[in-house]
């Protein structure tokens, strides 16, 4: 672990782009600068306009530079869990040294052997997470370097994602004049700070309620075992408020933040607030109970989808329960509603760092925590993967330039276990309630 370095994380989200600058001194994280800029060019967590995204990144970076009084060159970038696939992989090699002592080169060679596994052309390997090394049949080894052996094996988990998402993210970061220090799956980053070691070991669900999407991740045995992304998030709650109350998105977002509550039974019809309705000259009085019903309907719909997917893998059987985080998790009543829906213990994670005590910064802080606590083996794997990627891109660019010259083309672009039984009666209540409310306005 490197304890006296500076780290910068870049969290490219649908609602905002967040940059966190931190120092690690004797294992203690000190936040020295933050940038937070509204996102432009993203939809449901995916980059759809590179130039607009680059502009937003530059603004967030500039904010962080001014507050931290440093120049930012390297960043740790988060990648969304959209369409991420988790699969086992295995590599085996003969130890190369004459004295049969396992070196860093052997670790790289067994990693390369594991990465030989066939990956579809539209997907790319995000990372390899080693579970154990085996030296001449002796398993359970975490770091084989310095050991004597003839045969070295590695069992690991391979994470792959859509090549388009990875490529567009890299392009945006590079066009912003930044270098990538590491690329980390957002689920891994968030779980590194939101979960304790025991929770990651025994099994816990992390539900990240973002603006454009909701991500459920299952950690068990200190490994990411499952991830699911629902393409709905806090922005959809805002849009529902806007449509139902006939007000602007900006007004709906302010109303949600100032008066929103996810549980109608905890609100009062007597408490009202003014809403600027389009087409009317005077504000209209709306009661908090009605607003809460709008919010609850969308939240229930999101939770139902997530619950259904989690039940397919029996995730609610895990002893760690659920941890709620992300910007939309700050909505009052969200934890209580989640407990009613998922029927397991639910708690809210809020970063404890001064000035960042808001769940929207969980991923940004997690990216730094994850990078700063990489052990030697994971560091070797990271450097190997980044090195291979860099060589591949250099080779590809050279081919493009040659092709362009030969064909007089001025420019080329990259081408892009058993589910838990449900209590039917209670679930039907939530489902019918949500569907009935939504259908009044959207069907």
């Amino acid at each position: 672990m490197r304890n006296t370095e500076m780290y910068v994380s870049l969290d490219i989200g649908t609602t905002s782009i967040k940059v966190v600058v931190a120092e690690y001194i004797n294992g203690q994280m000190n936040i020295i600068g933050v940038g937070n800029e509204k996102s432009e060019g993203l939809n449901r967590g995916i980059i759809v306009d590179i130039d607009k995204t680059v502009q937003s990144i530059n603004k967030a970076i500039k904010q962080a530079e001014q507050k931290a009084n440093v120049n930012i060159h390297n960043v740790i970038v988060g990648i969304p869990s959209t369409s991420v696939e988790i699969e086992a992989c295995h590599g085996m090699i003969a130890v190369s040294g004459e004295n049969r002592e396992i070196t860093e080169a052997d670790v790289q060679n067994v990693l390369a052997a594991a990465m030989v596994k066939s990956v579809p052309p539209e997907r790319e390997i995000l990372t390899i997470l080693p579970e154990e090394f085996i030296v001449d049949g002796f398993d359970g080894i975490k770091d084989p370097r310095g050991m004597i052996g003839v045969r070295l094996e590695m069992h690991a988990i391979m994470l792959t994602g859509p090549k388009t998402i990875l490529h567009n993210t890299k392009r945006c970061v590079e066009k912003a004049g930044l270098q990538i220090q590491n690329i980390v799956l957002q689920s891994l980053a968030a779980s590194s700070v939101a979960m304790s070691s025991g929770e990651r070991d025994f099994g816990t669900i992390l539900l990240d309620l973002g603006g454009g999407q909701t991500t459920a991740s299952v950690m068990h045995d200190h490994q990411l075992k499952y991830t699911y992304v629902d393409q709905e998030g806090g922005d959809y709650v805002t849009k529902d408020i806007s449509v139902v109350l006939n007000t602007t998105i900006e007004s709906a977002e302010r109303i949600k933040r100032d008066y929103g509550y996810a549980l109608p039974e905890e609100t009062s019809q007597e408490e009202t607030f003014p809403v600027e309705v389009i087409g009317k000259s005077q504000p209209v009085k709306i009661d908090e109970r009605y607003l809460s019903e709008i919010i609850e309907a969308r939240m229930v719909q999101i939770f139902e989808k997530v619950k259904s997917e989690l039940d397919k893998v029996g995730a609610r059987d895990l002893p760690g329960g659920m941890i709620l985080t992300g910007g939309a998790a700050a909505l009052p009543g969200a934890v209580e509603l989640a407990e009613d829906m998922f029927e397991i213990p639910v708690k809210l994670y809020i970063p404890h760092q001064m000035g960042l005590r808001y769940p929207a910064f969980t991923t940004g802080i997690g990216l730094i925590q994850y990078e700063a606590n990489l052990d030697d083996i994971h560091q070797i794997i990271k450097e190997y993967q980044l090195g291979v990627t860099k060589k591949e891109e250099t080779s590809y660019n050279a081919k493009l330039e040659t092709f362009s010259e030969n064909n007089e083309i001025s420019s080329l672009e990259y081408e892009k276990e058993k589910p838990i039984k449900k209590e039917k009666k209670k679930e039907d209540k939530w489902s019918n309630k949500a569907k009935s409310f939504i259908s009044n306005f959207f069907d």
Side-chain angles (χ1 to χ4, degrees), residues 296-315:
E296 181 199 42
R298 177 62 70 174
M299 297 287 282
V300 165
Q301 183 170 306
I302 294 172
F303 288 165
E304 276 187 339
K305 289 181 182 178
V306 174
K307 181 181 179 182
S308 175
E309 294 299 322
L310 290 175
D311 282 345
K312 291 178 181 179
V313 295

Side-chain angles (χ1 to χ4, degrees), residues 1-8 22-30 32 181 368 371-374:
M1 188 191 304
R2 298 154 316 284
N3 292 322
T4 57
E5 288 190 29
M6 182 179 294
Y7 302 91
V8 181
E23 286 181 326
Y24 247 83
I25 302 175
N26 297 324
Q28 179 68 41
M29 182 192 297
N30 298 319
I32 61 174
Q181 182 176 348
I368 293 175
E371 176 68 14
N373 288 280
L374 281 180

Side-chain angles (χ1 to χ4, degrees), residues 255-305:
I255 291 168
K256 182 181 75 172
R257 292 180 181 275
D258 293 347
Y259 306 103
Y261 204 88
L263 285 177
E265 54 266 32
E266 299 295 329
T267 60
S268 171
Q269 291 181 308
E270 310 303 320
E271 298 291 334
T272 62
F273 55 89
V275 176
E276 295 179 0
V277 177
I278 295 173
K280 295 188 177 182
S281 58
Q282 296 296 324
V284 175
K285 293 287 186 179
I286 300 294
D287 65 81
E288 290 184 349
R289 173 69 60 86
Y290 188 56
L291 173 64
S292 184
E293 288 174 346
I294 301 172
I295 295 172
E296 181 199 42
R298 177 62 70 174
M299 297 287 282
V300 165
Q301 183 170 306
I302 294 172
F303 288 165
E304 276 187 339
K305 289 181 182 178

Side-chain angles (χ1 to χ4, degrees), residues 208 324-330 348-351 356-363:
D208 189 343
L324 220 58
T325 193
L348 176 65
Y349 174 77
I350 301 176
L356 295 180
R357 292 173 180 169
Y358 192 73
F361 285 98
T362 298
T363 299

